[in-house]
Amino acid sequence: MNKTVICPGSFDPVTLGHLDIITRAAKMFDRVIVAVLVNSAKTPTFSTEERIELLREAVGGLENVEIVSFKGLLAEYCKKCGVGTIVKGLRAVSDFEYEFQMALANKKLNPELETVFLAADADSTFLSSSMVREIASMGGDISNFVPACVHDRIVERLRK
Ligand code: COA
């Protein structure tokens, strides 16, 4: 069976934590769709195009990964694409309640939809996109937090 999964998120910007989850999903499944949320209620730091571009570069060597953007409900988007599995990373117990709530809501909206959680890599458990944005904007070193190939572009955009 050809198994396609979706890795959704804001990716504002992509971090090594995201890349860890995407890379491991790409080893476990035949095809991984990384779906960047276009949320009209929020103003992201990086535009949708920038987030897609950074992700494309970060996952460059992974042939079974593609990057798309989506609007609206994830459950509806999965239905439209014919994808039945969401893959998400769990960084800490604190992620669990929120992720569990989303997984249950998504299943109510689309009963065919399963959510699979991968335990985040130990080095990523504290990491988040907003932390990367804050550190870089204050001139801190983010080289341990973001993929090397997109590091300079992220720093350039965030430097105040
Ligand atoms: N490594 C590092 N950081 C991670 C991470 C990982 N493995 N997983 C999550 N994060 C961080 C992100 O960097 C982000 O950090 P920030 O808050 O500092 O920016 C934070 O965790 C939250 O991740 P994010 O991708 O922004 O959102 P989310 O996990 O809450 O969910 C969607 C994103 C797209 C899945 C969700 O908002 C969605 O489905 N939206 C569509 C609308 C919808 O269907 N709503 C109903 C849902 S039931």
Side-chain angles (χ1 to χ4, degrees), residues 8-10 15 17-18 21 37 70 72-74 88 91 98-99 102 105-106 127-130 133:
S10 304
T15 68
H18 299 131
I21 299 296
L37 174 67
F70 77 103
L73 290 174
L74 178 62
K88 295 215 70 182
R91 289 165 298 171
Y98 176 60
E99 292 293 348
M102 278 207 287
N106 280 325
L127 195 52
S128 72
S129 297
S130 52
R133 294 197 300 269

Side-chain angles (χ1 to χ4, degrees), residues 110-124:
N110 174 356
E112 300 301 311
L113 202 48
E114 298 292 348
T115 302
V116 171
F117 294 111
L118 297 183
D121 168 76
D123 291 338
S124 312

Side-chain angles (χ1 to χ4, degrees), residues 1-98:
M1 188 174 57
N2 194 317
K3 188 77 195 166
T4 300
V5 299
I6 198 156
C7 283
S10 304
F11 306 105
D12 188 30
V14 59
T15 68
L16 285 176
H18 299 131
L19 192 56
D20 166 57
I21 299 296
I22 296 165
T23 306
R24 285 159 58 203
K27 285 188 192 146
M28 296 168 70
F29 301 101
D30 298 301
R31 183 169 157 242
V32 177
I33 300 174
V34 177
V36 178
L37 174 67
V38 180
N39 185 351
S40 47
K42 269 194 187 171
T43 310
T45 302
F46 292 84
S47 68
T48 307
E49 293 69 29
E50 285 175 311
R51 287 180 280 153
I52 289 176
E53 185 66 31
L54 293 171
L55 272 161
R56 284 220 171 102
E57 224 162 290
V59 305
L62 302 172
E63 282 179 7
N64 58 340
V65 176
E66 62 193 79
I67 319 293
V68 301
S69 63
F70 77 103
K71 282 186 186 144
L73 290 174
L74 178 62
E76 287 301 320
Y77 183 72
C78 289
K79 206 182 280 178
K80 200 177 88 187
C81 300
V83 175
T85 309
I86 297 169
V87 173
K88 295 215 70 182
L90 276 186
R91 289 165 298 171
V93 179
S94 50
D95 274 350
F96 179 76
E97 205 173 306
Y98 176 60

